[in-house]
Amino acid sequence: MDDQLIDSWQKKLGGQFALPYMTSLQEFLASERKAGKQIYPPENLVFNALNSTPFERVSVVILGQDPYHGSGQAHGLSFSVQPGVAIPPSLVNIYKELYSDVGAVPPMHGCLTSWAEQGVLLLNAVLTVEQGNAGAHQGKGWEQFTDEVIRALNDQRENIVFILWGNYAQKKGAFIDQSKHCVLTSAHPSPLSAHRGFLGSKPFSQCNAYLKSKGLPEVNWSLPLQL
């Protein structure tokens, strides 16, 4: 799996692939595929978040939990779906807040690739899932790997904005050094919790205000209206 990572991340994370937890994870995934189970995202997109946003270009991290488990949805970027797929409920709420916060018109699609290309690392805590079985790959090793992603950014970079929506993301990011980085927290954008503190939290404008204060490029949060 390590040969699927671009060089900048390979240099930071390559050693993880020789560790027992990652060997076990790779064996688990191989056995699931051999058993005929449909795993999302496609194998070539498992590391899409890292490969779309090189280590040295990361300015923002938006932390999700699991990939979407419906057919054709997941493509390795947290909260994002492939073009042509219906926009999931959490992303609908993200678009509502985006418009309310910075006036960005919600697009007709759910693909967030343009954010990733600007330095927004759209990282899920768990990078694979079984079709129709949410959370099926939790506790198999991905959480340790993505902790190392966050740790590398926390330790070796400065002035990154970490956007942590919901309790799960906030617990995972609890070790982030807030004297070096900006941590923005709120409720999760899912329909179950969006009205309990996500809507109205203004994460996008707060993020850009911080980046601007550090002399760093702001994110253009407006997405292409059509793809």
Side-chain angles (χ1 to χ4, degrees), residues 172-205:
K172 188 172 179 69
F175 66 86
I176 295 166
D177 184 348
Q178 297 192 42
S179 69
K180 290 172 59 180
H181 304 286
C182 174
V183 177
L184 301 177
T185 63
S186 77
H188 194 276
S190 79
L192 295 173
S193 57
H195 293 279
R196 297 203 293 266
F198 172 75
L199 296 173
S201 62
K202 301 189 179 300
F204 308 104
S205 59

Side-chain angles (χ1 to χ4, degrees), residues 1 3-6 29 33 38-53 66-68 70-83 85 111 113 116-117 121-124 126-129 142 145-146:
M1 291 172 83
D3 61 355
Q4 296 175 25
L5 275 181
I6 60 172
L29 292 172
R33 291 191 176 102
Q38 185 70 50
I39 306 300
Y40 297 133
E43 203 165 353
N44 66 317
L45 293 176
V46 169
F47 296 114
N48 193 23
L50 299 173
N51 291 338
S52 297
T53 313
D66 281 286
Y68 296 116
S71 178
Q73 289 182 301
H75 64 136
L77 305 179
S78 63
F79 296 101
S80 180
V81 291
Q82 304 204 55
V85 175
C111 182
T113 298
E117 291 171 346
L121 180 63
L122 297 165
L123 182 69
N124 278 317
V126 177
L127 300 189
T128 57
V129 71
W142 280 128
F145 179 79
T146 52

